[in-house]
């Protein structure tokens, strides 16, 4: 079962990952965006980590909703509303449950991903964050109830992000470039893959502690 502490650890791990990769995200954003994706997300996720340390909500849903609100209020451009919507809608779907199993979390996260698609009017193949989010959530659904599904989600999201390189952008700032957007990996898909990587890292920590407890 996944409790509030798991979700706080996930978001702190995501903040660390964004911090490490911020310059690369901005480099990816430079030729097809506003060259601020990494710096914007770094600011937002640092704020998330700080507020979670200060307030420490005691249910998974409350953790995600607080994080989503923080991202919306601190991240500029489209990234704040999109990532904020992802976390807020996922948290709202989880409700007030003190713990959730991986299958229930996957169900709620799909609700969040669907909300992102509706907000941005995008679909997989449009060269957006959905190209990592959708394969990630599909893989997470592939082994319901299993912590091992988080590793599969990490790999699927990463491959989805890499697969955006040959695509022509059909949504967002990059779409203004038309065919010139081809040949560039999408920064939003890349940062979305970082979320799944942080999720797998957090799940690995749980699995490792359980193995250790049996030794």
């Amino acid at each position: 079962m996944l409790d509030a502490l798991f979700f706080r650890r996930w978001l702190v791990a995501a903040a660390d990952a964004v911090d490490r990769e911020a310059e690369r995200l901005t480099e990816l954003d430079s030729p097809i965006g506003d060259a601020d994706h990494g710096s914007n997300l770094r600011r937002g996720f640092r704020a998330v980590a700080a507020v979670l340390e200060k307030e420490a909500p005691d249910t998974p849903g409350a953790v995600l909703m607080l994080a989503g609100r923080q991202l919306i209020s601190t991240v500029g451009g489209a990234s704040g509303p999109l990532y904020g919507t992802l976390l807020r809608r996922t948290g709202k779907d989880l409700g007030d449950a003190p713990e959730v199993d991986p299958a229930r979390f996957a169900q709620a996260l799909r609700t969040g991903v669907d909300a992102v698609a509706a907000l941005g009017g995008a679909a997989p193949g449009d060269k957006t964050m959905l190209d990592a989010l959708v394969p990630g959530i599909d893989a997470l659904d592939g082994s319901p109830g299993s912590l091992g599904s988080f590793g599969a989600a990490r790999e699927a999201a990463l491959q989805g992000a890499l697969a955006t390189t040959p695509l022509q952008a059909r949504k967002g700032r990059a779409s203004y470039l038309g065919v010139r957007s081809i040949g560039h990996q999408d920064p939003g898909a890349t940062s979305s893959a970082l979320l799944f990587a942080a999720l797998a890292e957090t799940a690995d920590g749980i699995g490792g502690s359980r193995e250790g407890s049996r030794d």
Side-chain angles (χ1 to χ4, degrees):
M1 298 294 284
L2 311 175
D3 59 10
L5 179 59
F6 174 88
F7 287 92
R8 293 200 299 269
R9 286 175 172 169
W10 170 36
L11 292 171
V12 169
D16 289 342
V18 168
D19 195 61
R20 290 193 304 268
E21 297 293 327
E23 291 186 8
R24 177 169 172 263
L25 292 174
T26 293
E27 287 175 3
L28 291 175
D29 194 36
S30 294
I32 59 174
D34 296 323
D36 59 2
H37 189 63
S39 57
N40 279 343
L41 281 191
R42 171 186 273 163
R43 180 174 63 254
F45 275 94
R46 281 179 173 175
V48 166
V51 75
L52 289 177
E53 182 178 358
K54 179 180 178 182
E55 299 191 23
D58 57 4
T59 67
V63 169
L64 295 176
M65 291 184 71
L66 175 60
R69 290 194 300 269
Q70 194 70 16
L71 287 174
I72 289 172
S73 66
T74 57
V75 179
S79 297
L82 290 169
Y83 275 109
T85 294
L86 174 67
L87 296 182
R88 287 185 66 188
R89 290 298 296 272
T90 301
K92 183 178 181 180
D93 192 87
L94 290 177
D96 297 327
E99 295 181 328
V100 297
D101 64 24
R104 178 69 184 92
F105 170 52
Q107 179 186 47
L109 186 59
R110 186 175 292 280
T111 298
V113 172
D114 289 344
V116 169
L119 179 63
D126 285 343
K127 200 183 183 88
T128 70
M129 62 195 294
L130 289 174
D131 288 303
L133 290 177
V134 170
I137 189 59
D138 286 347
L140 202 59
D141 264 344
S143 301
S146 168
L147 286 176
S149 63
F150 292 127
R154 169 175 52 196
E155 181 61 23
L158 173 59
Q159 293 305 314
L162 294 174
T164 62
T165 301
L167 299 179
Q168 178 174 331
R170 293 196 289 262
K171 294 291 179 179
R173 173 68 177 79
S175 66
Y176 302 153
L177 299 177
V179 295
R180 288 179 294 158
S181 64
I182 295 173
H184 301 283
Q185 185 173 323
D186 184 67
T190 305
S191 58
S192 294
L194 293 179
L195 287 188
F196 281 102
L199 185 60
E201 176 187 330
T202 307
D204 287 345
I206 289 180
S209 65
R210 287 177 179 172
E211 288 296 326
S213 69
R214 291 197 293 267
D215 291 341

